[in-house]
Amino acid sequence: MTHAIAKCISSCGSLLFFRDFFLYLTNELDVDQCSIFLIDRSHAISCLVTRNFLKADIAVPLADAYLQEGYKHDPNITLLKTMSAGQTRSVHLSEYIQKISSSYQSRYFSNPGLGDKVSILAVRSDYGYYINLYRALGRRSFRDDGLFLDPEDENVISALVTKHYSLDSALVDANPIAMLSDREMQVCQGILHGKKTETIAFELGVAPSTIITYRRRAYQKLGINSRRALFALYKSA
């Protein structure tokens, strides 16, 4: 675990951070989904990143629904707004599941196949970070595995995420696809619109092999390795 954390630290503030961070979550903590939201000074909420490691098409639609309505019924958002700068705490689903409606539980847990969740709330000078880690239905809970019962666990996660964004504040506002070159971005946008390699090549006036090269470079920067993973990270404009 120490090696995995060290890799995350070394890539903080870079395009490779989430590749290393997601590997740490999946390999060391057995996490099935990670969603990170941001609360700004005006209490506006946005999604920084979301990824389901088992079913690539789940995370983005779920985050969109949450941003439209779900956050209004999430007791952790209320709690986060009451915390002071510098505070960090973790909250297990079992601590508040009785406070959320059955329809909320169905929409954000049982329907997408999520069974357990631990949330890490971290408030820094400018933002509140809402870091959510999930396990699928039928799996052991984080509590049963003794995870996030010690403040050290939550502090490691919050420190990695907040450090990453503090090193480059532009990462908070930027759509991750904007971190690519113009050609890499055009290729990814074509993929997100369901276009085949040959179609993208024709539209850009280059050979299909060139599109494959741009795609490979883009995937390396984004820390992904498949079309499905790209759809999980981004949605077409």
Side-chain angles (χ1 to χ4, degrees), residues 73-76 91-105 109:
H73 309 287
D74 187 344
N76 286 336
V91 183
H92 289 258
L93 177 63
S94 58
E95 297 177 45
Y96 65 94
I97 193 168
Q98 300 301 324
K99 299 180 182 179
I100 55 180
S101 67
S102 57
S103 59
Y104 186 99
Q105 292 180 42
F109 291 96

Side-chain angles (χ1 to χ4, degrees), residues 115-169:
D116 190 39
K117 170 185 173 183
V118 62
S119 300
I120 300 168
L121 287 58
V123 178
R124 301 300 178 255
S125 57
D126 293 325
Y127 301 105
Y129 294 86
Y130 186 27
I131 306 163
N132 298 289
L133 309 177
Y134 299 83
R135 281 186 176 171
L137 277 172
R139 303 199 59 211
R140 284 169 58 88
S141 70
F142 291 105
R143 277 189 177 277
D144 287 344
D145 283 345
L147 294 173
F148 301 101
L149 300 178
D150 185 324
E152 181 179 344
D153 294 332
E154 65 193 44
N155 289 335
V156 168
I157 298 294
S158 64
L160 289 173
V161 171
T162 57
K163 182 66 173 179
H164 170 63
Y165 286 106
S166 70
L167 289 174
D168 188 352
S169 59

Side-chain angles (χ1 to χ4, degrees), residues 185-206:
M185 187 184 303
Q186 289 171 334
V187 170
C188 285
Q189 288 174 333
I191 293 171
L192 289 168
H193 282 287
K195 298 176 182 177
K196 295 183 178 180
T197 298
E198 292 75 14
T199 302
I200 300 172
F202 176 79
E203 291 179 348
L204 297 182
V206 299

